[in-house]
Amino acid sequence: MRTRRSVLGGLAGAVALAAPLRAQPVPSVARSPATEPATRPIPSTGEAVPAVGLGTWITFNVGNDAVLRDECAAVVAAFFAAGGRMIDSSPMYGSSQATIGYALAKLHHPAALFSAEKVWTSARNGRPQIAQSLGHWGVPRFDLVQVHNLLAWEAHLDMLLDMKAQKQIRYVGITTSEGRRHRDVEAVMADRPLDAVQITYNPVDREVERRILPLARERGIAVIVNRPFREGELTRRLARLPLPTWASEIGAASWAQVILKFIVSHPAVTCAIPATTRVDHVRENLAAAADPLPDEAMRRRIADYIGRQ
């Protein structure tokens, strides 16, 4: 299945629209009796969102493959059933937007959805691209729109702030990943009225602890964390090691949960957005947001231990 997905991912990049919906069973979205994930407030409004969301980079880029689209729909159903809200995507992610729209339509558009999108185009094409993204998702407006990797950020931020003033979107943000352009991100955070910033953070990638995370707290900006597992490289590396006995002290039953608990326990972090193709993994990820979470001493222990591996 991994090989099949990687092949389809390459083919699906040019897909613009989802295929017509097929008559498939609708996954259940009944809430799970499991422990509710911890929530974090968006500082600019106080609105609470669960500390673990759902990313769609690579994993939802499945084109028109009916089997894989239904697998993604099952992941989305399990995500909402476990108490999830924030789903994040981008026009850069191939057919991922259309896959989200397919899943949301099958689930009759759950009211809990917090839609996080991006604009990733030239300055003059921002509004048409956002309109196209809305069509893929099948939603009337996005909760959050972010400037993807700061592309044409000055023009796009002006546009997004105007859209927010017109109540066409609710929140405005910027993104970066893999440690790129942190100084530029800091400059924008310090100067512009952002609701959210999206960055890479995990026990190995910790550069943002020096300036970006403290600045987010100072400025009242929500922090969304991408690539928590380094697209699976980090969890694969740790899989050869037994889980330390101290993991039970924070209620972690897997390395993925140790990593997510490290991330969401930082006081500046609002939501981590791991991507997955598996129902069991999305449930495991949401469960990581529940108490107990590590204190500062345990966070240092986690970072030191994983950093040595």
Side-chain angles (χ1 to χ4, degrees):
M1 182 61 72
R2 184 181 303 278
T3 300
R4 185 183 185 205
R5 278 190 179 274
S6 63
V7 172
L8 283 166
L11 294 174
V15 175
L17 295 172
L21 299 183
R22 300 184 181 184
Q24 298 284 351
V26 177
S28 171
V29 291
R31 292 297 294 271
S32 167
T35 303
E36 291 285 315
T39 61
R40 298 287 184 270
I42 296 173
S44 61
T45 64
E47 178 181 359
V49 293
V52 171
L54 180 64
T56 59
W57 166 236
I58 299 177
T59 52
F60 275 36
N61 184 22
V62 299
N64 291 326
D65 185 284
V67 173
L68 297 184
R69 285 196 304 158
D70 282 336
E71 288 182 5
C72 291
V75 166
V76 173
F79 173 73
F80 284 117
R85 286 195 65 201
M86 183 184 291
I87 299 179
D88 177 89
S89 194
S90 170
M92 181 187 178
Y93 298 172
S95 65
S96 294
Q97 295 174 313
T99 303
I100 294 170
Y102 174 81
L104 294 177
K106 288 192 72 172
L107 299 172
H108 306 297
H109 295 276
L113 172 67
F114 185 103
S115 51
E117 248 305 338
K118 305 182 184 76
V119 58
W120 186 69
T121 187
S122 63
R124 67 179 181 274
N125 291 325
R127 287 181 185 269
Q129 185 179 74
I130 292 170
Q132 184 178 52
S133 297
L134 284 168
H136 289 317
W137 282 64
V139 296
R141 70 172 181 175
F142 290 120
D143 293 298
L144 166 66
V145 180
Q146 306 150 96
V147 182
H148 195 155
N149 286 336
L150 295 180
L151 180 63
W153 70 266
E154 292 175 293
H156 286 324
L157 265 186
D158 288 342
M159 172 195 67
L160 294 178
L161 290 169
D162 180 66
M163 292 180 70
K164 178 182 175 182
Q166 300 298 320
K167 301 188 183 303
Q168 296 169 344
I169 58 177
R170 300 176 60 222
Y171 298 105
V172 171
I174 60 173
T175 83
T176 189
S177 62
E178 302 182 63
R180 293 174 293 191
R181 300 188 66 179
H182 279 176
R183 288 187 178 180
D184 292 336
V185 169
E186 290 174 26
V188 179
M189 291 173 65
D191 187 58
R192 303 301 294 269
L194 301 177
D195 296 297
V197 61
Q198 185 178 136
I199 45 85
T200 296
Y201 180 53
N202 56 57
V204 176
D205 300 302
R206 299 174 57 200
E207 181 186 341
V208 294
E209 290 180 347
R210 290 187 292 177
R211 282 292 302 137
I212 288 180
L213 294 181
L215 184 58
R217 295 196 75 189
E218 176 186 325
R219 295 279 291 167
I221 299 171
V223 175
I224 302 169
V225 173
N226 59 39
R227 302 183 76 248
F229 306 138
R230 289 185 156 191
E231 296 173 18
E233 181 273 329
L234 185 54
T235 46
R236 287 192 296 272
R237 184 204 313 175
L238 295 170
R240 61 185 174 82
L241 302 173
L243 202 62
T245 55
W246 48 256
S248 62
E249 298 177 25
I250 54 172
S254 67
W255 279 114
Q257 289 191 334
V258 170
I259 294 166
L260 287 174
K261 283 176 175 287
F262 171 86
I263 294 169
V264 303
S265 62
H266 191 287
V269 169
T270 306
C271 183
I273 49 170
T276 183
T277 62
R278 290 173 47 173
V279 166
D280 59 333
H281 283 177
V282 80
R283 290 171 178 158
E284 177 185 342
N285 292 344
L286 264 294
D291 289 331
L293 294 173
D295 59 16
E296 188 55 38
M298 180 60 79
R299 287 174 46 77
R300 289 194 299 269
R301 188 174 191 178
I302 292 169
D304 290 345
Y305 187 91
I306 293 178
R308 292 196 304 268
Q309 307 309 316

